[in-house]
């Protein structure tokens, strides 16, 4: 059977600044990676040297037959010192946007993808008085370079950020780092969640004229052993409050990889006999369709853009198998009425996965010494699907 997707439809690949550019020296994450006793096993370092090699990356995206590219603007580069905006860095990102437009690629621009300037963090991060205004001022500085951009994501995975704020707090107080299976993280730090929601709203006020929204990590929480009420609570704090905050946005970004089962005592570990990916997550392609259905039901009427979906694997055939399953689930959800405008695969490159280089999500391999890019067969397969606008299922 051939599952045809609507036209127009965004078919693209995604990445983020800290994970791809390299040497993001003024950011809080760089400081975390490089401090003595860092909880993170590996550093981002030169990353994929995307800061210099972005033209090559955009050529790959175009040549594959994709029509969209998601990347982020790095606040720590644009405002490395509070109040001091770098015109040269803004011009860099403007060139990147022009690079997309010249190649016929629709840029999907994220303004904050997990990292903040170190000065912002040292001043108290999202919990400081004035944090929202600091973010607003950064967004205001970026708006002039966004000419020709349609889709803007304010903050990537605010729910993960707020959960990680809690993890880091616990780490500082000497608690062992919990297993970082995303959906099983401790609940969000609620004041951080509230600040992020306020920052998102402030950013949207600055983004009149664009399609603006944010991207939420969907964990496909599933109740087991009658834990329906626990699961609903679990999902509300970790996911639904962030969807509700987007109920009047121009779009919502859905990001889904796996599922997490919730029993009476909380999140269950992935069973030993389950098929797992390199992140330790369960191999679960149905995650995407389910996430889209949940989002469409929770905030009806808000157009959906799949801003991330993919798999960490060293077996490229498995990437095709996973993505085919995910796209089939997406198509079925759309058949049932979900208003989905595009699918952006995570990720274009084998990039830095927040503490490690082990979990390779890329459609494109990157040599860790020469930074040479090698397009994988899965990328060509995905490009063919995009060109055809249809999937054989
Ligand atoms: C998401 C992040 C992205 C990447 C993928 C695997 O949580 O937004 O940067 O790490 O997961």
């Amino acid at each position: 059977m051939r599952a045809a997707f609507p036209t127009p439809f965004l078919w693209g690949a995604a990445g983020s600044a800290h994970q791809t550019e390299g040497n993001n020296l003024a950011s809080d994450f760089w400081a975390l990676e490089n401090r003595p006793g860092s909880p993170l096993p590996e550093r981002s370092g030169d990353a994929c040297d995307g800061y210099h090699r972005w033209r090559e990356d955009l050529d790959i995206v175009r040549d594959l037959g994709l029509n969209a590219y998601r990347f982020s603007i790095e606040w720590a580069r644009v405002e490395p010192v509070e109040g001091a905006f770098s015109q040269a860095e803004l011009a860099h990102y403007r060139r990147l946007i022009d690079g997309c437009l010249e190649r016929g690629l629709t840029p999907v621009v994220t303004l904050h993808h997990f990292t903040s300037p170190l000065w912002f963090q040292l001043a108290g991060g999202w919990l400081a008085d004035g944090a929202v205004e600091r973010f607003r001022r950064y967004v205001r500085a970026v708006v002039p370079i966004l000419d020709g951009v349609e889709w803007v994501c304010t903050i990537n995975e605010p729910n993960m950020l707020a959960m990680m704020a809690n993890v880091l707090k616990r780490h500082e107080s000497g608690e062992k780092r919990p297993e970082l299976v995303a959906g099983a993280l401790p609940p969000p730090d609620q004041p951080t969640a509230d600040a992020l929601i306020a920052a998102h709203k402030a950013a949207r006020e600055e983004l009149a004229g664009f399609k603006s929204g944010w991207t939420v990590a969907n964990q496909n929480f599933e109740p087991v052993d009658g834990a329906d009420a626990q699961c609903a609570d679990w999902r509300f704090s970790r996911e639904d409050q962030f969807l509700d905050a987007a109920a009047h946005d121009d779009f919502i970004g859905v990001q889904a990889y796996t599922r997490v089962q919730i029993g009476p005592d909380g999140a269950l570990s992935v069973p030993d006999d389950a098929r797992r990916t390199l992140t330790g997550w369960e191999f679960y392609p149905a995650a995407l369709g389910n996430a889209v259905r949940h989002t469409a039901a929770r905030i009806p009427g808000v157009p959906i853009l799949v801003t991330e979906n993919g798999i960490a694997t060293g077996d490229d055939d498995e990437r095709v198998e996973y993505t085919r399953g995910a796209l089939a689930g997406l198509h079925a959800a759309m058949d049932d009425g979900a208003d989905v405008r595009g699918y952006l695969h995570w990720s274009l490159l084998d990039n830095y996965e927040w503490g490690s280089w082990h979990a390779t999500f890329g459609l494109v391999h990157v040599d860790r010494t020469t930074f040479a890019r090698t397009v994988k067969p899965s990328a060509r397969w995905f490009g063919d699907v995009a060109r055809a606008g249809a999937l054989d299922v």
Side-chain angles (χ1 to χ4, degrees):
M1 195 192 101
R2 207 171 150 78
F5 287 77
T7 31
F9 194 74
L10 296 183
W11 291 101
S16 85
H18 188 79
Q19 293 173 274
T20 58
E21 288 179 339
N23 298 300
N24 186 16
L25 307 178
S27 74
D28 57 349
F29 213 87
W30 181 271
L32 180 67
E33 288 162 27
N34 288 287
R35 78 178 191 202
S38 169
L40 305 171
E42 292 183 288
R43 309 166 56 245
S44 56
D46 288 322
C48 302
D49 194 27
Y51 188 80
H52 300 106
R53 291 166 202 259
W54 57 269
R55 291 176 186 81
E56 198 182 331
D57 294 336
L58 295 184
D59 286 347
I60 292 173
V61 176
R62 178 202 53 204
D63 293 347
L64 285 173
L66 306 180
N67 61 25
Y69 180 56
R70 175 176 179 229
F71 63 92
S72 70
I73 293 179
E74 185 60 46
W75 184 5
R77 287 191 197 272
V78 168
E79 191 184 3
V81 170
E82 178 160 20
F85 290 91
S86 166
Q87 296 310 315
E89 295 290 1
L90 287 166
H92 165 78
Y93 289 109
R94 179 64 226 176
R95 286 193 290 274
L96 191 48
I97 291 166
D98 282 335
C100 290
L101 298 174
E102 283 158 16
R103 289 167 180 79
L105 301 172
T106 297
V108 177
V109 179
T110 304
L111 300 179
H112 185 281
H113 194 120
F114 285 169
T115 50
S116 298
L118 181 59
W119 64 258
F120 176 80
Q121 196 58 39
L122 293 176
W126 294 106
L127 297 180
D129 284 346
V132 169
E133 289 311 308
R134 287 177 175 138
F135 186 62
R136 181 199 290 276
R137 188 177 52 186
Y138 155 66
V139 174
R140 204 174 274 162
V142 171
V143 164
I145 65 152
L146 296 180
D147 202 31
V149 173
E150 190 179 350
W151 302 86
V152 182
C153 311
T154 60
I155 300 174
N156 180 68
E157 294 192 352
N159 51 336
M160 284 297 296
L161 267 178
M163 288 187 263
M164 285 308 291
N166 201 352
V167 170
L168 285 176
K169 237 189 223 172
R170 292 176 185 209
H171 177 80
E172 302 306 330
S173 68
E175 234 177 76
K176 189 174 148 290
R177 175 181 146 154
E179 197 190 352
L180 290 186
V181 174
L185 288 176
D189 178 63
Q190 194 56 43
T192 303
D194 293 339
L196 289 167
I197 290 169
H200 171 60
K201 298 206 158 154
R204 286 212 347 110
E205 282 169 15
E206 300 300 323
L207 290 164
F210 299 93
K211 285 195 172 83
S212 67
W214 66 0
T215 65
V216 174
N218 184 303
Q219 304 294 338
N220 282 282
F221 296 116
E222 282 179 12
V224 291
D225 300 332
D228 291 57
Q230 289 94 330
C231 185
D233 284 353
W234 191 280
R235 185 190 282 124
F236 181 78
S237 64
R238 288 169 177 78
E239 189 171 311
D240 287 347
Q241 64 167 326
F242 300 91
L243 294 178
D244 294 352
H248 303 290
D249 290 1
D250 301 312
F251 74 95
I252 177 75
V254 169
Q255 318 204 143
Y257 294 89
T258 189
R259 69 172 161 184
V260 176
Q261 296 185 314
I262 306 297
D265 300 320
L268 307 185
S269 306
V270 178
D272 287 341
D273 59 352
R275 182 171 167 192
R276 287 173 181 247
T277 69
L278 288 178
T279 39
W281 304 344
E282 183 184 354
F283 177 93
Y284 191 64
L288 181 59
N290 295 346
V292 162
R293 288 173 194 274
H294 175 70
T295 304
R298 183 81 197 179
I299 46 171
V302 182
I304 290 173
L305 189 57
V306 177
T307 37
E308 288 185 22
N309 167 256
I311 176 173
T313 178
D315 173 354
D316 200 47
D317 291 338
E318 189 177 44
R319 189 176 332 279
V320 173
E321 182 192 351
Y322 177 90
T323 308
R324 183 192 293 283
L327 287 173
L330 175 66
H331 188 267
M334 292 169 70
D335 258 357
D336 288 340
D339 175 11
V340 181
R341 307 296 174 91
Y343 171 90
L344 309 177
H345 190 82
W346 184 273
S347 52
L348 178 66
L349 304 176
D350 279 344
N351 58 29
Y352 179 66
E353 184 50 32
W354 308 112
S356 142
W357 286 96
H358 167 72
T360 42
F361 279 92
L363 295 166
V364 175
H365 168 79
V366 180
D367 184 283
R368 299 279 338 109
T369 312
T370 64
F371 310 109
R373 275 75 167 137
T374 309
V375 173
K376 301 180 190 177
S378 57
R380 302 206 189 280
W381 171 84
F382 179 52
D384 288 347
V385 173
R387 279 200 175 95
L391 177 78
D392 289 321
V393 281

